[in-house]
Amino acid sequence: MKKYPIALFCHDPEAHYEYRIVAHMTRVSEDFILRCEQEELITARKMLHGAKGLSAADVSKLKLIRYLHKDMGLDLEAIDFVMRYRERVKTMERQLEEMKQQLHQKEQEYQTEVLDLRRRIAQVAGEK
C-alpha cells in the first residue's frame, strides 16, 4: 500500500482530526490530549466513524496548552486559569471595540446635528 502524507492544515472550521493526528500536529502524546479533555481544556467530538476528534480551534488551543505546560512549566490547573482569563480579556476587547464604534457613530451623529444647527442659525440670522 502506498503511503500518502497527511494534510495537517485545513481551513474548514467543521473539520475534525483524530487524536493520533492531533498528537502529531501538536507534538504531544494522546494521553496528554486525554488529560486535557478530562480537565475540560479542550472538547472532543465523536466523528462519523466513531473515533474522537478535535476541531481546528481545539488543535490551536492544544498548541497553546502544550507551550504553557512544557515550555512555561504550568500545571493543567494553572493553564485552565490562564485560558479562562485569556477568554475574558478577548471578550472585554471585543466589547471595548464595539463601544468605540458606537461612540464614533454617536460623535458623527452629533457633528451632523451641530452642522445642521449652524446652518439653521445662519439662515435665521440672514433673514433678520
Side-chain angles (χ1 to χ4, degrees), residues 18-76:
E18 288 184 20
Y19 277 15
R20 65 181 177 80
I21 295 172
V22 172
H24 178 72
M25 291 167 64
T26 58
R27 299 186 324 244
V28 298
S29 68
E30 290 183 45
D31 288 337
F32 184 76
I33 296 171
L34 285 169
R35 282 181 42 215
C36 290
E37 182 186 0
Q38 289 168 347
E39 293 291 326
E40 298 179 357
L41 295 170
I42 55 174
T43 305
R45 291 160 186 86
K46 281 238 186 209
M47 298 186 351
L48 292 176
H49 60 286
K52 285 185 176 181
L54 295 176
S55 67
D58 281 321
V59 171
S60 294
K61 217 186 270 188
L62 193 57
K63 287 178 182 179
L64 176 61
I65 293 167
R66 183 206 66 227
Y67 169 76
L68 293 170
H69 183 67
K70 302 234 180 198
D71 297 342
M72 300 299 288
L74 299 178
D75 63 10
L76 294 181

Side-chain angles (χ1 to χ4, degrees), residues 2-123:
K2 192 172 186 179
K3 291 189 176 185
Y4 296 96
I6 298 171
L8 296 180
F9 299 101
C10 178
H11 297 293
D12 183 3
E14 298 300 317
H16 286 75
Y17 305 95
E18 288 184 20
Y19 277 15
R20 65 181 177 80
I21 295 172
V22 172
H24 178 72
M25 291 167 64
T26 58
R27 299 186 324 244
V28 298
S29 68
E30 290 183 45
D31 288 337
F32 184 76
I33 296 171
L34 285 169
R35 282 181 42 215
C36 290
E37 182 186 0
Q38 289 168 347
E39 293 291 326
E40 298 179 357
L41 295 170
I42 55 174
T43 305
R45 291 160 186 86
K46 281 238 186 209
M47 298 186 351
L48 292 176
H49 60 286
K52 285 185 176 181
L54 295 176
S55 67
D58 281 321
V59 171
S60 294
K61 217 186 270 188
L62 193 57
K63 287 178 182 179
L64 176 61
I65 293 167
R66 183 206 66 227
Y67 169 76
L68 293 170
H69 183 67
K70 302 234 180 198
D71 297 342
M72 300 299 288
L74 299 178
D75 63 10
L76 294 181
E77 188 176 310
I79 291 171
D80 183 42
F81 175 78
V82 168
M83 300 294 279
R84 290 178 195 275
Y85 184 75
R86 189 171 182 255
E87 283 303 312
R88 285 185 184 158
V89 168
K90 283 183 179 181
T91 300
M92 291 172 73
E93 285 175 341
R94 281 192 297 271
Q95 290 172 341
L96 182 61
E97 191 58 39
E98 288 173 10
M99 290 170 71
K100 283 180 182 178
Q101 289 175 357
Q102 289 173 354
L103 184 62
H104 182 72
Q105 183 180 355
K106 285 290 184 188
E107 183 181 20
Q108 287 181 333
E109 289 173 9
Y110 291 144
Q111 285 178 352
T112 303
E113 193 174 330
V114 166
L115 288 173
D116 187 44
L117 288 171
R118 283 184 177 169
R119 278 190 220 113
R120 287 183 186 174
I121 291 171
Q123 212 175 26

